[in-house]
Amino acid sequence: MQPEDFPLARRRMVERQLRARDVRDERVLAAMARVPRELFVPEDLRDRAYDDSALPLPEGQTISQPYMVARIAEALELHGRERVLDVGTGSGYQAAVLAELAAEVVTIERIPELAELARRNLAAAGYERVEVRVGDGTLGVPDRAPFDAIAVAAAVPELPQSLYEQLEPRGRLVLPVGSRRAQELQVVVRSPEGPAVLRSVPCRFVPLVGEEGFAG
Ligand code: SAH
């Protein structure tokens, strides 16, 4: 693909992979139509940037399928003024999509090399206002809490208490919960009665490795 082909491939992705599968939030569709995913995938895979699949990143990690990124973003129900935490930065792509939808995005990655890669990708795509941290995201980012919304792009065996506690009242947390091999995407809302799990779809993510995640 030539650089001029990417915008068309991106529009097709939005129509065929998202709108056709019932992603309905127009702000999410617009965000997915704006973020240049080709700048977040490894250079030798750029031609596949708009494929309907996850793609490999360095360090054995993956950039999530566009459809899952859109589903997570939609489930957070963002309106534009929120402070959002993105756990599992990877390439930085999901953080960039969230930056289109909210006022402030903090993202945290366990592997320093990936955090550095994400910083470069985000700068190249014009999202340098996203704050990239290195650390164990299962513990959240206490010094920037509370968050209106938290997105987790890696699987957890159960809801990490620290993340839940860093939500604003009525804040939303979207995360894949299950085993290392198969999970369901849960939407958890912080309520006075405790965590309310709203809905879920089957999914498959790489494990979140950390104190309140999977062992390494
Ligand atoms: N959102 C990413 C997808 C990355 S895959 C993207 O758009 O490209 C999940 C990422 O979570 C991997 O990069 C992995 O290294 C990271 N990860 C795993 N355990 C983590 C932890 N405890 N804290 C922060 N990041 C973690």
Side-chain angles (χ1 to χ4, degrees), residues 61-62 88-91 94 108-111 114 135-137 153 208-209:
Q61 304 303 319
T62 57
T89 315
S91 66
Q94 170 111 53
I108 181 163
E109 169 58 50
R110 183 175 74 94
I111 302 173
L114 285 178
D136 179 2
L208 195 70
V209 177

Side-chain angles (χ1 to χ4, degrees), residues 100-122:
E100 289 282 351
L101 295 166
E104 254 182 274
V105 178
V106 179
T107 181
I108 181 163
E109 169 58 50
R110 183 175 74 94
I111 302 173
E113 290 76 11
L114 285 178
E116 200 38 56
L117 173 71
R119 279 193 195 105
R120 285 200 303 273
N121 292 344
L122 286 162

Side-chain angles (χ1 to χ4, degrees), residues 136 138 155-158 160 208-215:
D136 179 2
T138 67
V156 290
E158 56 189 32
L208 195 70
V209 177
E211 203 162 309
E212 296 186 39
F214 285 102

Side-chain angles (χ1 to χ4, degrees), residues 35-150:
V35 180
R37 185 171 163 94
E38 68 273 16
L39 299 183
F40 293 87
V41 302
E43 229 172 297
D44 55 325
L45 295 177
R46 280 209 173 143
D47 284 357
R48 297 175 54 197
Y50 294 98
D51 281 11
D52 189 12
S53 64
L55 291 172
L57 290 177
E59 311 289 335
Q61 304 303 319
T62 57
I63 172 171
S64 314
Q65 179 192 23
Y67 175 69
M68 285 314 306
V69 174
R71 272 274 171 253
I72 289 176
E74 187 171 60
L76 292 175
E77 295 188 358
L78 300 168
H79 296 99
R81 290 167 176 251
E82 296 85 355
R83 176 188 291 179
V84 180
L85 174 63
D86 172 61
V87 178
T89 315
S91 66
Y93 177 68
Q94 170 111 53
V97 171
L98 295 172
E100 289 282 351
L101 295 166
E104 254 182 274
V105 178
V106 179
T107 181
I108 181 163
E109 169 58 50
R110 183 175 74 94
I111 302 173
E113 290 76 11
L114 285 178
E116 200 38 56
L117 173 71
R119 279 193 195 105
R120 285 200 303 273
N121 292 344
L122 286 162
Y127 297 95
E128 43 278 283
R129 68 191 176 88
V130 172
E131 183 182 339
V132 181
R133 296 281 188 99
V134 176
D136 179 2
T138 67
L139 304 176
V141 179
D143 62 292
R144 300 287 268 115
F147 299 97
D148 301 291
I150 301 179

